[in-house]
Amino acid sequence: MRLHRLDVTAFGPFGGTQSVDFDALSAAGLFLLHGPTGAGKTSVLDAVCYALYGTVPGARQTGQGLTLRSDHAEATARTEIRLELTVTGRRLEITRQPPWERPKKGKRQGTTVDKAQTWLREYDATAGVWKDLSRSHQEVGEEITQLLGMSREQFCQVVLLPQGDFARFLRADAGARGQLLGRLFDTQRFAEVEKRLAERRRTAEAQVRDGDSALLADAHRMQQEAGDAMELPELTPGEPGLADAVLGAAAVARSTARERLTVAHCRLTAAESAQFAADRALAGVRELARLQGRFAEARQRAVRLEERAGAHREAQARMERGRKAAAVAPALELREAAEAGHRRAATAEARARTLLPETFAGAGAAGLATAARRVTEELGGLESARRAERRLAEVVEERGRLDRQERDDEDVLREADGWLADWDATRAELQSRIDTAQEAATRAEQLAAQREPARRRLAAARLRDELGQDTDEAQRTALASARRAADAREHWLDLKEQRLTGIAAELAAQLTAGEPCAVCGATEHPAPAEKFAGHIDGEAEQRAEAAFQRADAQRAQDERGLGTVREALAAATAEAGDASTAQLASQADELEQEYTRVRRAASALHPAQEELRMAGQERERRLAGRQQAEVRAAARLTRREGLDAEQASLEEELAAVRGSAASVAVRAGQLERQLALLTDAADTARAAEDTARHLKDADARLADAAYRAGFDTPQAAAAAHLDDTAHRELQRRLDDWQSEEAAVRAVLAEADTAAAAQQPPADLDTAERTAAAADRRLRDAASARDRAARSCAELDRLSAHASAGVRRLAPLREEYDRVARLAGLTAGTSADNERKMRLESYVLAARLEQVAAAATVRLRRMSSGRYTLVHSDDRSGRGRSGLGLHVVDAWTGRERDTATLSGGETFFASLALALGLADVVTDEAGGVRLDTLFIDEGFGSLDDQTLDEVLDVLDSLRERDRSVGIVSHVADLRRRIHAQLEVVKGRSGSALRQRS
């Protein structure tokens, strides 16, 4: 991959359009990207990363609130990044425009958001033109990732070499190294293998435990069914022999249950015979009791009928009178309806007349109708007056609106004159605030460059103080370890000497009669030596020796720790200088307070500028408002004169029509109410006359109908009349009496009932007690037989289920054993995994070994052959092998941790590691050529000789046709590197200057 050209517009600190010609810079092989702090050096690298991947490097993101647009850009300028590059032989151009908030077009106020845009083009060398490939974010991203063969994280690590990250990588523990290497080499598939095996192990284990639990649950259910016939020992899931114990106990329980079933069946047969005889006797007694009760009940019902015979005859006579009165019922209903209608009409007439004036008290229906017609004619003549009254209201309302507009315009003119009078003072005050804030912003930029060096010196001083205490503690620890090692060695030598003193007894213990002595060769042993009290054997000596070796190893470890702390103390002292921590802290606090103060003052710049802009807009608005108010006042004068003349004419016309009423509408309302009262009174009078005639006709018809039905008067016919409810109730009583009489005669005539009444009373209680006792014995026997049968069936079912579970569980247990061994091996917890190394860590360790080998080639040259990077599989935390990284010092011949390197040594070691990692990741990604690299900061910690060696190594990269861009503000590099890209910052944004 080779970069050719970069164009950025309104991006980061660049307010306008800036361009970088990488072809010209890369011609020298090594070029410098420099500029003051905060100018935007890193923003150039951010633009390259954003053009390729649509995001900036992860370390410089701020989540969803990331702002790519420059604060210095004009409101109408859109942020755009265009990158031209060659990758895998194809010359491409990528253009990206992030989403931005632009002003609305035309005269509309406010802003709107435009979506992000992406273009990908390829140069056709044959035709000499650019061809469009895609405008889809997703398609462009997939195409670039496939061509480069790297994700964004890998690109940022191997192309935009971040030195701070690799310095931390050198000092990091195995876990942090594993996270970085895992992202770069994509070892997630190996972690997934570990995860899948662990999940399969847990699944298989759960299945085995569930199988054992189910088998044990079957055993407990069989024990509940068998009772004391089954003894089950205390067993838990996974315990050996569980299956055999359960199946053996089940066999005994089934045999006992079958014997109990045979006995219960015999008892049930005997109980069934006894119960049959008792039921037959009880049926006979119940039938006799039923017939005797039936005869006694019939006799009682006959007595009650005789007592109610008189009431029955009266009901028959009442029914006969009701049938005669039914012929008079239509006339009665007609007369009642006529009377009710006449009462309602008379009441309505009286109520309507009470609302009329006294002059209409004696008027009939015809007179009231004539008065209503006269009122209707007068009401029709008021329509013209209504229209005139509505127009008068409109004129009055418009006249009032003109008065309100006049008052509003007077307020506008008064407020505008008052505000404009203070305009010059307001503008001067805001301009003064802007000048003060700009001066504070300049001072803040100067202080910002001083803050970081002061913080580094203060941190180094604090580290120096902490390491001073750690050095004393480490020295005391090392001395104590040396004393313990010396004591252990002395104790071991003492035991060894004591053992040699009693070695004869130890040899004598091995003698056997007739066998030659290992010392003298004799076959007879007349007086072998015997062990004395406190004899020291070989095992005690070995334990003492092992204790000495452990103490000596601890001594060596403590001495190495002391050396590490001393080296770190020297590095911190060199960084902090001779000043005390309190003095440096005071200086840093003063600097921070001053910086905070001027930053706070500088923050008022934008609000003051915005307030001045808003005040200018307000002045223009006030001037325009005053001019419009004056124009409206002239127009109102003419309109007011015409309205006054029209109002006078309308008021004169209405005064003649209204009379004493307040308005035409009031007069019309009076007439409408009078018309409604007269019309209602006339209607009710006519209705009262009609209902009186109908009532007289109904009285005549009722008298004629009563005479023809045989009643002396209409009142007698009305008293004998039965409504539907009374008629149905009386008929029901007569029918009930006849039905009861027929039923009693039928029962008394039955032969078997009369014969039963002649026999002695039936003893039902005794027969029922006998049958109940036989039934209880039968139920008990049946329940016992059913329980025995259910127990046998349940035991057979549970036993079969348990046997099937044992057969089904056998292959699951074998599968669990096999998966558990594999999961333990890949997770590093198995005894077969000697180094306790996880599968992913094993793969990453191989990659780290390759990186260390590639980095050592450059590290030896940078350090004049002194240092070599090596990978270590030594166990670290929790006894597992880690991703160790050590440095071998050729001057001392000792291997030590990379955290003990000084600041300058850490820089060129991390640079060598970054370049080596870039080579390995490039090969891993498919061998994509990386012709352009960037190295971000870190050169200020090198002396002149080391700086020359590092630059020589970087310059040698041209042998592989690479160009390297160094991002730094070290002044000495500007004299050593001729090809430069300078970032110049100013109040209107940063700019780029290129020198090839």
Side-chain angles (χ1 to χ4, degrees):
M1 180 198 73
R2 179 177 294 278
L3 304 182
H4 298 294
R5 183 178 180 84
L6 175 67
D7 297 317
V8 295
T9 302
F11 179 82
F14 306 112
T17 299
Q18 304 293 326
S19 300
V20 181
D21 187 355
F22 285 110
D23 287 336
L25 291 173
S26 301
L30 194 64
F31 62 91
L32 176 66
L33 175 58
H34 68 94
T37 301
K41 299 186 296 297
T42 305
S43 295
V44 176
L45 308 184
D46 290 346
V48 173
C49 183
Y50 186 81
L52 292 173
Y53 294 97
T55 58
V56 298
R60 293 187 285 279
Q61 289 193 70
T62 58
Q64 296 298 329
L66 175 65
T67 302
L68 301 177
R69 180 171 175 79
S70 175
D71 294 333
H72 302 286
E74 297 181 359
T76 57
R78 173 142 195 186
T79 303
E80 182 179 273
I81 300 93
R82 180 181 292 108
L83 177 65
E84 187 177 337
L85 73 159
T86 296
V87 58
T88 64
R90 299 171 61 185
R91 188 163 184 136
L92 303 175
E93 181 189 79
I94 308 170
T95 303
R96 290 189 187 269
Q97 293 180 350
W100 74 304
E101 188 175 352
R102 64 166 176 81
K104 293 182 178 179
K105 296 180 180 179
K107 298 182 179 180
R108 293 181 295 174
Q109 301 294 323
T111 60
T112 184
V113 177
D114 277 355
K115 296 181 179 179
Q117 301 289 333
T118 303
W119 295 270
L120 177 62
R121 301 197 303 170
E122 182 176 5
Y123 184 72
D124 187 349
T126 303
V129 295
W130 288 94
K131 294 184 177 180
D132 292 333
L133 295 183
S134 177
R135 297 190 63 175
S136 168
H137 300 296
Q138 183 175 1
E139 290 179 358
V140 173
E142 292 176 354
E143 180 73 13
I144 295 301
T145 302
Q146 183 176 2
L147 289 174
L148 294 178
M150 292 181 288
S151 64
R152 189 199 65 185
E153 290 77 9
Q154 291 175 319
F155 177 84
C156 294
Q157 290 290 343
V158 303
V159 178
L160 312 179
L161 303 179
Q163 291 306 303
D165 289 353
F166 284 97
R168 286 191 294 272
F169 183 79
L170 278 176
R171 295 186 172 92
D173 57 11
R177 288 196 185 108
Q179 291 179 1
L180 174 61
L181 293 174
R183 290 196 303 270
L184 293 179
F185 293 107
D186 190 20
T187 57
Q188 183 62 30
R189 59 187 182 277
F190 300 104
E192 287 296 328
V193 170
E194 299 176 22
K195 182 179 178 181
R196 290 291 299 276
L197 285 174
E199 291 176 353
R200 287 187 60 185
R201 178 187 60 78
R202 288 192 295 270
T203 301
E205 182 181 8
Q207 290 175 345
V208 170
R209 292 187 64 85
D210 291 345
D212 285 347
S213 299
L215 183 61
L216 194 57
D218 288 340
H220 286 303
R221 286 196 292 271
M222 284 189 288
Q223 188 179 34
Q224 292 175 356
E225 288 293 336
D228 56 0
M230 180 177 177
E231 295 183 0
L232 187 65
E234 293 294 331
L235 298 171
T236 57
E239 185 174 347
L242 183 145
D244 294 338
V246 170
L247 296 179
V252 175
R254 291 200 306 273
S255 177
T256 305
R258 291 191 181 92
E259 294 177 358
R260 291 178 176 175
L261 177 60
T262 302
V263 174
H265 186 72
C266 294
R267 292 177 178 173
L268 176 61
T269 302
E272 287 175 346
S273 300
Q275 195 265 344
F276 178 75
D279 286 346
R280 187 169 54 187
L282 177 61
V285 174
R286 282 178 175 171
E287 180 62 19
L288 179 61
R290 185 186 70 80
L291 293 175
Q292 291 177 347
R294 180 178 175 82
F295 184 82
E297 182 185 4
R299 295 293 298 172
Q300 293 176 359
R301 289 164 63 187
V303 171
R304 287 195 296 272
L305 285 173
E306 185 64 27
E307 292 173 353
R308 290 188 289 127
H312 177 65
R313 287 189 293 272
E314 292 178 359
Q316 287 177 331
R318 179 77 177 88
M319 178 63 75
E320 182 64 24
R321 289 195 303 274
R323 290 193 187 96
K324 295 178 180 181
V328 188
L332 284 171
E333 294 175 356
L334 181 62
R335 198 272 176 189
E336 290 175 357
E339 184 179 9
H342 180 64
R343 283 197 302 269
R344 288 193 298 271
T347 302
E349 180 187 11
R351 185 168 55 250
R353 286 183 178 275
T354 57
L355 300 177
L356 294 175
E358 294 181 357
T359 55
F360 297 102
L368 293 174
T370 301
R373 284 193 297 274
R374 289 197 300 269
V375 173
T376 301
E377 293 173 356
E378 184 179 357
L379 186 61
L382 293 179
E383 184 59 31
S384 176
R386 288 176 186 269
R387 289 193 296 271
E389 190 173 44
R390 285 195 296 270
R391 176 55 187 164
L392 178 61
E394 294 174 356
V395 170
V396 172
E397 182 181 359
E398 185 175 359
R399 185 68 170 76
R401 185 165 59 252
L402 292 176
D403 293 340
R404 289 193 298 273
Q405 290 176 356
E406 183 177 9
R407 290 193 296 272
D408 293 340
D409 288 342
E410 290 175 355
D411 293 340
V412 170
L413 292 173
R414 185 170 53 258
E415 291 179 1
D417 292 340
W419 193 92
L420 293 172
D422 298 333
W423 163 244
D424 293 335
T426 301
R427 180 176 56 186
E429 190 270 335
L430 291 175
Q431 188 62 47
S432 176
R433 287 168 52 192
I434 291 173
D435 296 340
T436 302
Q438 287 178 338
E439 294 175 358
T442 304
R443 177 58 178 161
E445 292 178 357
Q446 297 172 353
L447 294 176
Q450 304 174 13
R451 291 170 65 210
E452 188 59 30
R455 289 177 178 174
R456 287 199 300 268
R457 291 192 64 194
L458 176 58
R462 289 172 175 168
L463 180 61
R464 178 193 62 195
D465 297 343
E466 295 176 0
L467 290 176
Q469 299 176 0
D470 294 344
T471 301
D472 296 339
E473 180 63 27
Q475 187 172 3
R476 288 192 296 271
T477 302
L479 291 175
S481 299
R483 285 195 297 271
R484 286 194 294 272
D487 294 341
R489 184 174 184 278
E490 183 179 355
H491 177 63
W492 168 50
L493 294 176
D494 289 344
L495 292 182
K496 185 174 183 179
E497 183 179 357
Q498 293 178 24
R499 184 191 175 202
L500 292 175
T501 302
I503 194 64
E506 189 173 338
L507 293 173
Q510 301 175 0
L511 296 176
T512 304
E515 296 294 331
C517 175
V519 178
C520 64
T523 57
E524 295 183 1
H525 318 295
E530 297 181 355
K531 294 182 181 180
F532 56 86
H535 173 74
I536 303 300
D537 54 11
E539 184 178 355
E541 180 188 355
Q542 291 173 0
R543 287 197 300 270
E545 183 180 7
F548 162 65
Q549 291 175 350
R550 289 193 299 272
D552 190 58
Q554 184 64 40
R555 175 196 60 77
Q557 180 180 352
D558 292 341
E559 289 179 353
R560 287 195 298 271
L562 176 60
T564 300
V565 174
R566 284 175 174 171
E567 291 178 1
L569 176 60
T573 303
E575 176 74 18
D578 298 332
S580 65
T581 304
Q583 183 179 359
L584 292 176
S586 176
Q587 294 174 358
D589 289 341
E590 292 176 0
L591 181 61
E592 191 67 29
Q593 292 173 4
E594 178 66 12
Y595 176 73
T596 303
R597 184 185 65 77
V598 297
R599 277 293 300 276
R600 188 181 302 110
S603 65
L605 176 60
H606 180 71
Q609 292 174 337
E610 184 65 17
E611 190 173 350
L612 179 58
R613 184 182 66 80
M614 296 298 292
Q617 295 177 354
E618 180 65 16
R619 176 175 177 272
E620 296 299 328
R621 189 182 66 81
R622 297 273 185 173
L623 290 173
R626 184 172 63 181
Q627 182 179 4
Q628 294 172 0
E630 292 172 351
V631 172
R632 288 194 298 270
R636 279 193 302 272
L637 182 60
T638 302
R639 180 60 179 163
R640 185 183 290 112
E641 292 176 354
L643 292 175
D644 290 343
E646 185 178 3
Q647 181 179 358
S649 175
L650 292 173
E651 287 177 348
E652 182 179 358
E653 178 184 353
L654 292 174
V657 176
R658 287 196 299 261
S660 60
S663 65
V664 174
V666 173
R667 177 58 182 164
Q670 294 173 351
L671 294 175
E672 289 172 353
R673 286 192 296 275
Q674 184 177 3
L675 175 62
L677 293 175
L678 290 172
T679 302
D680 185 44
D683 293 341
T684 55
R686 285 193 294 269
E689 293 173 357
D690 293 341
T691 55
R693 289 194 298 272
H694 293 160
L695 178 60
K696 184 176 180 181
D697 294 341
D699 286 337
R701 292 192 187 95
L702 177 60
D704 183 62
Y707 176 76
R708 286 197 299 269
F711 292 99
D712 296 336
T713 63
Q715 291 76 14
H721 177 68
L722 294 174
D723 57 16
D724 292 341
T725 303
H727 181 272
R728 286 194 300 272
E729 177 62 23
L730 185 59
Q731 185 63 48
R732 184 190 61 79
R733 287 166 53 192
L734 293 173
D735 294 342
D736 290 345
W737 195 92
Q738 291 177 354
S739 298
E740 180 71 5
E741 183 182 24
V744 169
R745 284 198 299 268
V747 171
L748 294 178
E750 293 176 354
D752 54 351
T753 303
Q758 303 300 322
Q759 296 182 16
D763 190 359
L764 185 59
D765 292 339
T766 301
E768 288 180 346
R769 285 196 298 272
T770 302
D775 185 63
R776 282 195 301 273
R777 288 192 295 270
L778 177 61
R779 287 198 304 272
D780 292 342
S783 298
R785 195 276 310 274
D786 292 343
R787 283 195 302 272
R790 284 196 303 271
S791 179
C792 285
E794 185 66 13
L795 286 173
D796 290 341
R797 186 187 66 81
L798 291 174
S799 179
H801 187 269
S803 299
V806 170
R807 292 191 299 272
R808 184 174 58 256
L809 191 58
L812 291 177
R813 193 180 301 279
E814 294 177 359
E815 174 70 11
Y816 166 68
D817 294 339
R818 181 170 59 257
V819 172
R821 286 195 299 271
L822 285 175
L825 188 63
T826 57
T829 59
S830 172
D832 297 333
N833 191 331
E834 297 179 358
R835 293 187 176 275
K836 304 299 182 183
M837 185 181 292
R838 294 172 50 240
L839 177 61
E840 185 182 15
S841 299
Y842 176 77
V843 176
L844 292 177
R847 292 287 186 263
L848 183 59
E849 193 169 4
Q850 296 174 358
V851 172
T856 296
V857 176
R858 297 184 177 90
L859 179 58
R860 284 179 177 174
R861 185 172 177 183
M862 293 180 187
S863 63
S864 300
R866 179 178 179 183
Y867 293 117
T868 301
L869 283 174
V870 294
H871 164 251
S872 173
D873 275 339
D874 291 342
R875 292 187 179 182
S876 57
R878 295 183 295 178
R880 297 191 178 188
S881 297
L883 298 172
L885 193 63
H886 292 174
V887 62
V888 177
D889 191 344
W891 291 4
T892 63
R894 298 180 62 183
E895 179 180 326
R896 54 192 174 98
D897 194 271
T898 54
T900 61
L901 293 173
S902 66
E905 293 170 342
T906 297
F907 167 70
F908 62 69
S910 63
L911 176 58
L913 182 65
L915 294 173
L917 186 60
D919 292 340
V920 175
V921 171
T922 299
D923 295 338
E924 176 73 12
V928 177
R929 286 183 55 83
L930 300 178
D931 300 319
T932 306
L933 300 177
F934 295 92
I935 301 174
D936 192 358
E937 288 297 348
F939 292 89
S941 60
L942 303 179
D943 55 48
D944 291 342
Q945 180 181 355
T946 305
L947 182 59
D948 289 337
E949 293 173 348
V950 171
L951 292 179
D952 288 343
V953 172
L954 295 177
D955 192 54
S956 68
L957 294 176
R958 287 187 295 178
E959 300 172 1
R960 302 179 63 178
D961 197 21
R962 282 182 174 177
S963 61
V964 179
I966 297 176
V967 184
S968 178
H969 53 68
V970 176
D972 192 34
L973 290 175
R974 278 175 268 178
R975 296 190 297 272
R976 297 171 183 261
I977 303 175
H978 299 291
Q980 298 179 9
L981 179 63
E982 182 181 3
V983 185
V984 182
K985 69 177 179 180
R987 293 184 179 275
S988 59
S990 298
L992 296 175
R993 295 176 184 171
Q994 185 169 331
R995 186 179 70 185
S996 303

